[in-house]
Amino acid sequence: MGPTSEAVFDALHMAKRVDELDGGAKESEVHVLAYLACILFIFDGGSVASWGYVFSTTSTGAPYAGDLHDALSNLAASGHLQRDVDVYRPTQPGLDTHERLRAGWRLGERPRYLDAAANTGLALATPVATGAVMHEPQLRTAAGLARKRMLLDEAGLALLDPHFEGLRRISDENNTPDLFSTAVLWLRYLQADADQKSTDV
Amino acid sequence: MFSFELLQEVAEHDWIQTIQSGTHGGEESLPPLLEFVRSVFDHVAPERLTGGLTLLASSNFPDALGDADHTLAQLAELADLPFLHPQHLVLVAREQGDYLVWNTQPDDAVLTAHTLVYRFDGSDHFMLPDLTVSLPEIPGFGSIFSIPTFMTLDEALLDYERTHVRHSGCPLLAANWDDDDRIVLANKPESSMRRSLEQYLRAALRGYGLIELRPEQNVDESHPIDIKVTWSVTNRIALIEIKWIGQSINPEKTATTNWKDPRANSGAKQLSDYLDSNKEYTPSHHVVGYLVVFDARRAGASAENRELSDEEALQYLAVEINYEPKYEELRPDFAPPVRLFMRPKTQVA
Amino acid sequence: MTTNSGIALPRPLRATLRSFSLYDHAPEIVADFQDGVFCLAGANGLGKSTFLSAIGFGITGTVADPGRSFTSAEEYLRDLRAYSRSAFDGRIRERDRDLAEIELELEVGPRRYRIVRNMFEPVGLRSLEITDRAGKPATNGLASTEGDRQAEYEAAITADSGLESFDQLVLLHHFVQTFDERRHLLFWDDKVSQAALFLTFGLSPDGAKQADDLRRKVERADSRARNHQYAATTAQNRMKEVAARIEELEDGPTDDEIVDELKAMEAHVAELRGILGRTTDAYRDATVARSEVSSRLRQVRLDYEVAFSSAVFGRRDPSTHPVVVSILESHQCPVCGSTHADVTAHVSAALDNQKCPICLDATIPDGTSIEDLEELDALIKSMDKDLAEGDQQVRRLLGEIDELQEQLEEAEKTLEESENRHGVDASDLGGDTDYEALIESYTRDIEDRKAKKLEARKERDKHRRELRRLQKELSNRYREVEEVFVPRFVGLAQGFLGLDLELNFEIKGDISRLVLTVDGEERRGPEDLSESQRFFVDIALRMAITLQVADPSGPPVLYIDTPEGSLDIAYERRAGELFADFVHTDASILMTANINTSEMLLRLAESCGAAKMALQRMTDWATLSDVQEEEQDAFDRAYEQIEQRLQAP
């Protein structure tokens, strides 16, 4: 079985969106931003089971989806993406396919989350945004273990709950219900928290 | 542990929260405007926009502002932007994909009543009807939206030299001199250099997994690595060893420590030894060592003498460091050393 | 001497079903009922019977419950309403629940009615218009709620049909006018039969109600007398036990009113249990249906993945393949590394000829297109919707079950409390038992019970005398109409049976009934006739009765659901003739029939002609199953045959 349709679409969409914003998408950026999109989907009431593929950590504590990796490879091999080492850019056939898939019902809802995640780079610069995701609580606990582990399982989601609750409070108080500003705020928080911890040492 | 207090504090300083909170439901307009701002700076460097810039992304820009007399141009694409040299540029991105340009600054109240407005006047602002949100300045860059990013460490280091080191554009480096003319470095300048490079990489290097800075107190020479950059998907690790050469003042400000080529050479050997000793711990990773040398050499400078001629001050501008051995030729995991020359303030800067 | 009872039975002129999901061919189904026969014909399982149920529901707000035995018209109506609320569950999609409704135009005596009723609302009308035959409004139109309109409707239609109460209209509709093989047969259900007889031959509808009440009173008084006797006997036994120093004592109810009250409570509990059971069944069905959709959806999702992979990765345009692009750019063969001008030329030539530059002759494989994917996408979307609807239904039913369970618990608790309050619980007498006092109390109780038993018997006998008087009146009345009624029935039934028939009226105890004699032998038990005979004799009796009551206020209507169910082939033609005979008296039949057994329909069609019979194809309303679809030709032939007969001179 190849990568799921969701993973193929996300890989294509993320490569396209990050390319629009920054010129080319690093494979790791696709993994990290799709992971952020998945968390925003859960924050928005979605269930992790319906996301379409799963994330685990690499041995260095970064989010990684095997399906996304396969999707990028297949999309490159089939001429939908152009690959330069680990940087991907959509080709015209890739953009055409993306357009068609996006119009469908099954995949058409996903850009809402994928874009909210990728757009954080507009406010923070993409490296800052992806770097901040690495301080997400599950990844941070995983980084110390130096081995792969599943993300967004029940224990993982429990770690996110207080974050979600806090973010909802703020977005209620500030009247900022959009996913984009919530995502940016959360990344800023994760970075601030990490900075605080590193100066505490 | 999650801290709501910290989140609240972060939210208070988050300009996105301030803008979104002020637009009352116009939240969807911000990302397209930000994208527009970014693409304008892709074509015109902020430094060139001396007359300032006003940007709007609007689907139905009001006719009242479309006064034909002041319409400078209708642009099909932003690549044509550098050919315009007006005092103050007002750009509207229209839904149909083209752009309208004005060279007079319209009444802000009229603009903000209609849509969210971006203003650049040396720094970044967003304007709402009764509120102007000014963004924090990012040292080394004209606008927060003009920070370039780089796919590789080598490209990033080249840009770092140009934007941050050459004229001490990075405030950490600017404050790292003992004199205004940037002749003698402050006491113990290493930590500022490390933090300067780390901060830059965090913002400009694409696709890294982790960037780790060696803690201050860990000065053990057997752990010489200052910055460790880990890429997760490609299993690459860059170990950056930072050295400086030139003179730095002692705490009493009576004399200087003067490091020359041998200092850089000992850094290269430490890095090489470290790469050897750590190979077995990271067998599955592709590790490359980088020696980065901040070069503040000045001919004829001392604790007492800071009055140098331009020739003296710039004598080492093009003088490469002589490495023996040349590790980059002996081992594939040793990158060619990078010299970052820190220029003094001179007439010919 | 009059020969009729002057009851005007409601006569449907037109029925309109909206958002009736079972009939999925149109959002709105309209059926016009001309004089004579309206026959909805089609294969099994498409919902023919539901059509008659829907009309009955429109008129009465009730659907007959085949499992319910008849007690009295009033109680029957009350219990039926609770049952009918969910009668169309499963026939109407969850999302259509609010939309599904029936609009009926009726003629009742001097007036015309137009009513609209939601298919899940037994006691409310969405719309009510009553006019006289000239079209002049006959209502004040003040009723503003569905419940008010229902009340106004019940009062008006009861009056216009010349009945005493709405429950009598319901009784006539379900037990006399409607025939289906699952229902009670008039000849062989004494209680129904008596109630119907009183309505048919009684001096007035009022008399029928009185007789109904009296029979219930006799039953109740008799049951009370028996209860008292039982209590007295029990007390006597207990007294003996007490005398033998046995501690535990028990007693029965103490009062006539209480007996009734407890029985009513018990009946209420039983009714709730029944509804709970049916709702639980519906819940189970909905759960099964939901998981079926869910597993089908899983399969379609897999199909989507396969199609997706094929659509996105299957068919490749060779000119966009990285290897080909690199050849065209570098002019170097990626396989052997050599560089010729020919390398590029070969590749370009192949591409120009729409061929793959590697395999040349092979045509480029055609995979799934994105259009196929879009189809699956739409399918998943609709199935997702179905699934959500299924979830909603399951949740609703769960909610109803919870509520019913609560009601049931409450009812059980009330019953138990009442039992405890009225009973003489042994524990009340425990402790320092004063045995003499106890025996004295028992003695008093026994005497009291015996006295009450006598009273109850007296009361029973009083009611019975009254009932006897009514029965006698009924008997007299029957004698008066017998000479019209009996020949009418015999004429209809004998033609069908081909045997000598006699019909007699008999009063047996508290029950008055009609007794059928076939070839000189009484056929009292249902087993005395074959099923076909039984059904059609019963239909003939209904015909005779409705003709009797409706004369001369207007020709009557019968509702007959798939009468040919178990018809011997020998009787098919005769059945057709029986119906034709009835229709030729100006009466009407709304019927359903299976298109497979058409001899009955052929004969009926032949006799009626297009002027007196309309054939409605079920296939115009609802989708056939796959198997039925395959037999579509056979159905079409059968329809055509019938239609030919209709058109024959």
Side-chain angles (χ1 to χ4, degrees), chain B residues 183 247 298-302 304-308 312-313 315-316:
Chain B
I183 303 297
Q247 296 179 59
R298 307 283 185 262
S302 68
E304 299 79 28
N305 182 26
R306 313 286 171 95
E307 303 290 317
L308 305 184
E312 286 172 321
Q315 187 178 323
Y316 290 95

Side-chain angles (χ1 to χ4, degrees), chain C residues 408-560:
Chain C
L408 181 61
E409 264 168 44
E410 187 62 30
E412 282 173 341
K413 210 175 110 197
T414 316
L415 175 63
E416 196 188 323
E417 278 169 6
S418 270
E419 279 173 346
N420 288 343
R421 196 168 57 245
H422 297 306
V424 184
D425 201 305
S427 59
D428 291 338
L429 304 167
D432 306 317
T433 311
D434 181 344
Y435 288 109
E436 273 178 33
L438 197 54
I439 287 181
E440 202 184 305
S441 123
Y442 275 131
T443 313
R444 266 202 314 277
D445 188 35
I446 291 165
E447 280 165 11
D448 183 42
R449 293 285 187 178
K450 283 184 170 162
K452 278 186 173 149
K453 182 188 86 179
L454 286 175
E455 253 172 62
R457 288 222 169 122
K458 250 161 105 181
E459 196 186 326
R460 179 196 70 189
D461 293 344
K462 191 189 96 192
H463 293 318
R464 191 170 268 164
R465 277 196 298 280
E466 187 68 11
L467 181 61
R468 289 279 182 280
R469 185 184 64 75
L470 279 173
Q471 284 177 314
K472 228 171 168 160
E473 278 185 51
L474 177 63
S475 172
N476 292 340
R477 178 76 183 154
Y478 182 78
R479 300 281 167 245
E480 285 173 24
V481 300
E482 197 175 20
E483 55 186 288
V484 179
F485 177 71
V486 173
R488 202 176 248 161
F489 166 73
V490 170
L492 288 163
Q494 202 157 276
F496 178 79
L497 276 183
L499 298 169
D500 277 344
L501 283 180
E502 258 180 69
L503 188 63
N504 289 300
F505 181 83
E506 167 186 278
I507 297 176
K508 198 90 182 207
D510 301 331
I511 294 292
S512 332
R513 62 179 177 186
L514 293 170
V515 180
L516 185 69
T517 308
V518 181
D519 275 349
E521 277 178 50
E522 278 189 10
R523 307 287 168 108
R524 290 173 185 278
E527 67 284 350
D528 291 341
L529 288 172
S530 81
E531 196 178 62
S532 302
Q533 291 174 333
R534 213 157 59 224
F535 284 177
F536 280 84
V537 165
D538 214 67
I539 290 174
L541 178 61
R542 287 156 200 270
M543 290 174 170
I545 286 176
T546 52
L547 285 170
Q548 186 68 31
V549 302
D551 185 25
S553 42
V557 186
L558 281 193
Y559 304 88
I560 302 179

Side-chain angles (χ1 to χ4, degrees), chain A residues 1 3-6 8-9 71 74-80 93 97 100-101 104-107, chain C residues 301-302 304-306 308 311-313 316-317 320-322 370-371 373-374 377-378 380-381 384:
Chain A
M1 199 72 194
T4 64
S5 55
E6 289 92 343
V8 173
F9 178 78
N74 293 359
L75 286 166
S78 58
H80 290 88
T97 301
R100 303 290 294 272
L101 295 177
W105 172 78
R106 212 168 126 62
L107 302 169
Chain C
R301 284 213 170 111
L302 281 176
Y304 177 91
E305 289 301 323
V306 172
F308 180 93
V312 176
F313 300 121
R316 292 180 188 174
D317 176 359
T320 63
H321 193 278
I370 290 212
E371 282 81 2
L373 198 61
E374 282 163 357
D377 187 68
I380 291 174
K381 179 183 177 179
D384 250 26

Side-chain angles (χ1 to χ4, degrees), chain B residues 4-267:
Chain B
F4 184 68
E5 289 69 32
L6 180 60
L7 181 67
Q8 258 176 327
E9 197 187 318
V10 170
E12 269 168 42
H13 295 100
D14 183 354
W15 52 269
I16 300 243
Q17 288 286 318
T18 314
I19 294 170
Q20 299 292 61
S21 182
T23 53
H24 301 302
E27 65 269 3
E28 302 305 332
S29 65
L30 186 52
L33 181 60
L34 295 181
E35 200 174 345
F36 181 35
V37 176
R38 279 265 287 259
S39 51
V40 167
F41 286 133
D42 280 349
H43 293 94
V44 195
E47 304 86 69
R48 287 196 50 211
L49 293 163
T50 48
L53 176 72
T54 301
L55 301 176
L56 305 82
S58 174
S59 51
N60 55 338
F61 194 64
D63 294 336
L65 295 166
D67 183 346
D69 294 342
H70 299 293
T71 306
L72 195 64
Q74 187 173 339
L75 290 184
E77 46 188 43
L78 290 174
D80 300 331
L81 207 53
F83 303 110
L84 302 171
H85 296 284
Q87 282 300 300
H88 181 101
L89 271 181
V90 179
L91 257 89
V92 180
R94 296 203 296 180
E95 200 171 30
Q96 49 266 53
D98 64 355
Y99 308 89
L100 290 181
V101 188
W102 278 266
N103 61 352
T104 51
Q105 191 171 341
D107 184 356
D108 287 345
V110 176
L111 294 182
T112 57
H114 184 65
T115 182
L116 181 63
V117 175
Y118 168 80
R119 165 75 42 81
F120 179 74
D121 56 8
S123 59
D124 305 294
H125 312 277
F126 286 91
M127 302 192 298
L128 293 112
D130 297 308
L131 177 71
T132 296
V133 183
S134 298
L135 272 47
E137 290 186 35
I138 304 292
F141 299 99
S143 160
I144 195 171
F145 302 107
S146 67
I147 303 175
T149 60
F150 300 93
M151 290 293 186
T152 67
L153 185 54
D154 302 75
E155 291 170 319
L157 287 171
L158 283 177
D159 182 72
Y160 176 63
E161 186 276 325
R162 188 177 59 79
T163 58
H164 281 59
V165 181
R166 195 179 290 179
H167 302 294
S168 294
C170 170
L172 283 167
L173 297 179
N176 210 18
W177 295 98
D178 188 51
D179 53 71
D180 290 342
D181 291 334
R182 304 201 291 257
I183 303 297
V184 173
L185 290 164
N187 185 241
K188 293 192 184 299
E190 307 94 329
S191 66
S192 293
M193 293 168 175
R194 286 206 317 259
R195 276 190 291 131
S196 166
L197 180 55
E198 184 229 356
Q199 282 183 8
Y200 173 84
L201 292 179
R202 281 191 188 286
L205 181 62
R206 297 278 303 279
Y208 62 82
L210 284 175
I211 293 179
E212 293 164 277
L213 184 67
R214 183 183 62 166
E216 293 283 330
Q217 56 270 49
N218 189 356
V219 289
D220 182 354
E221 292 266 310
S222 66
H223 296 92
I225 301 313
D226 292 293
I227 299 173
K228 179 179 171 188
V229 181
T230 312
W231 286 268
S232 51
V233 176
T234 49
N235 278 350
R236 282 178 57 235
I237 294 176
L239 300 176
I240 301 173
E241 164 69 355
I242 294 173
K243 292 287 178 208
W244 60 271
I245 55 177
Q247 296 179 59
S248 101
I249 195 82
N250 68 356
E252 297 78 29
K253 303 212 176 225
T254 54
T256 60
T257 313
N258 193 353
W259 294 117
K260 295 180 175 165
D261 289 16
R263 178 70 180 166
N265 267 289
S266 78

Side-chain angles (χ1 to χ4, degrees), chain C residues 81-190:
Chain C
R81 275 180 171 153
Y83 169 82
S84 304
R85 195 170 282 281
S86 54
F88 293 93
D89 270 0
R91 294 187 168 76
I92 288 164
R93 272 193 305 262
E94 197 65 14
R95 61 169 173 268
D96 291 333
R97 274 184 85 84
D98 286 342
L99 301 173
E101 60 184 27
I102 181 164
E103 175 176 332
L104 278 175
E105 284 171 41
L106 304 170
E107 206 170 74
V108 189
R111 301 223 160 79
R112 280 194 173 215
Y113 285 65
R114 199 187 65 79
I115 59 173
V116 180
R117 185 190 293 281
N118 171 245
M119 296 316 294
F120 297 91
E121 185 44 89
V123 288
L125 288 179
R126 288 185 169 173
S127 168
L128 168 67
E129 285 167 27
I130 308 174
T131 57
D132 61 18
R133 295 247 174 146
K136 205 171 128 257
T139 45
N140 55 21
L142 286 180
S144 59
T145 67
E146 294 201 0
D148 288 351
R149 279 193 284 274
Q150 171 80 17
E152 188 177 346
Y153 166 71
E154 285 181 16
I157 201 167
T158 303
D160 286 337
S161 47
L163 291 165
E164 178 66 17
S165 56
F166 188 68
D167 53 54
Q168 292 180 342
L169 184 85
V170 176
L171 171 83
L172 283 173
H173 184 92
H174 288 310
F175 287 108
V176 179
Q177 287 178 271
T178 307
F179 172 85
D180 79 53
E181 59 186 49
R182 300 183 308 281
R183 303 272 181 86
H184 306 265
L185 296 177
L186 269 180
F187 267 116
W188 292 278
D189 186 322
D190 288 344

